[in-house]
Amino acid sequence: MTRWFYASILLTLATAGGTWYVAHFRYDELPDRVPTHWGIRGEADGWADKEDAWQAFLFVPCLMIGFQALTLVLPWLSPGKFDLDRFRRTYHYVMFLATGLFAYIHLGTLLASLRPDFDVSKMVLGGICLFFALMGNVMGKVRRNFYVGVKTPWTLASETVWNRTHRVAGWLWVGAGVAGCALIGAGVPFYWSFGLIMVAAFVPVFYSLWLYKRLERQGRLEPPAAPNQEVSVG
């Protein structure tokens, strides 16, 4: 195991502890109807009675516990030539980032429950932008697999397409994430940041198709890689 996996465990425990703290020591501060879900514009559209709020609060900590179990199981499930052990440290880091995003969104939920005027949508969108920026920074280290990265039929079929697509994705995700955070901080309407993230998420998908077909026409697609073959992304 790497330090990132243990950090994910600690973050999961901290999230569960924070939930327990709010449910037991800040219970009297909760409104009679506690918001549990928000629309894209930040307006609450899901509610729970105060007496049942703890059940809604427990959802994310339980999800995070299941996510840690999944982190352990996925390497065992992977076929030989898609072995996650080839980039285990990066894999654990990516799973840590996802765990951190869960915890961050849950923190926004707890704060919005205690402070009805809290702008949870701005906080969550900022967290998603930061998540994309941090993910983009390690995309070039992600090796071909079924669980992490830009997984399309064309990236999975070709090591070259996988590597080049992830380089493009890395630049796009870092740029869109940083720009999105800056726009949110400047008070620009949310849909600009959201639009940047959506473009950054989908462009690599279409790029992988274009690149695969281009290499196919040129007869430059490599034969399938041998199991556990290391391929440099230099």
Side-chain angles (χ1 to χ4, degrees):
M1 294 301 161
T2 69
R3 63 181 180 178
W4 294 115
F5 176 73
Y6 294 119
S8 296
I9 296 294
L10 291 175
L11 189 55
T12 299
L13 293 175
T15 302
T19 302
W20 179 81
Y21 170 78
V22 170
H24 286 78
F25 295 101
R26 305 290 295 275
Y27 180 80
D28 292 339
E29 300 177 37
L30 296 174
D32 292 335
R33 296 182 68 221
V34 177
T36 57
H37 188 271
W38 290 262
I40 195 169
R41 295 185 178 276
E43 300 173 352
D45 56 11
W47 308 83
D49 292 334
K50 182 176 180 178
E51 293 78 10
D52 300 324
W54 65 272
Q55 299 178 16
F57 289 163
L58 283 177
F59 173 76
V60 172
C62 289
L63 177 65
M64 292 170 69
I65 292 172
F67 193 71
Q68 304 318 310
L70 189 65
T71 300
L72 291 174
V73 170
L74 289 182
W76 177 78
L77 292 174
S78 296
K81 67 180 178 181
F82 299 98
D83 191 358
L84 295 174
D85 283 333
R86 295 183 299 161
F87 63 105
R88 181 175 290 271
R89 184 179 295 275
T90 302
Y91 164 65
H92 281 160
Y93 176 70
V94 169
M95 300 303 267
F96 168 75
L97 291 181
T99 300
L101 184 61
F102 291 148
Y104 185 80
I105 292 174
H106 188 58
L107 175 62
T109 301
L110 295 178
L111 290 175
S113 299
L114 295 170
R115 297 168 49 191
D117 60 338
F118 182 75
D119 189 352
V120 67
S121 63
K122 186 175 181 179
M123 175 183 173
V124 169
L125 185 55
I128 292 173
C129 289
L130 180 60
F131 171 79
F132 264 79
L134 294 175
M135 278 282 290
N137 193 48
V138 297
M139 277 295 96
K141 299 179 181 179
V142 175
R143 300 297 187 264
R144 198 160 44 136
N145 72 97
F146 285 112
Y147 309 113
V148 178
V150 183
K151 302 174 296 299
T152 70
W154 312 287
T155 56
L156 292 173
S158 167
E159 195 84 28
T160 300
V161 175
W162 175 280
N163 292 335
R164 291 173 62 175
T165 296
H166 280 73
R167 289 195 194 100
V168 170
W171 284 103
L172 282 174
W173 290 10
V174 170
V178 171
C181 287
L183 290 174
I184 292 170
V188 175
F190 78 95
Y191 49 79
W192 286 100
S193 297
F194 183 76
L196 278 175
I197 294 299
M198 289 297 99
V199 169
F202 282 103
V203 164
V205 174
F206 296 108
Y207 174 79
S208 69
L209 169 60
W210 172 82
L211 179 60
Y212 184 92
K213 292 299 182 182
R214 178 170 174 251
L215 294 176
E216 187 178 48
R217 287 194 305 270
Q218 296 173 349
R220 295 168 55 195
L221 284 175
E222 75 283 358
N228 293 320
Q229 179 180 339
E230 287 284 358
V231 178
S232 173
V233 296

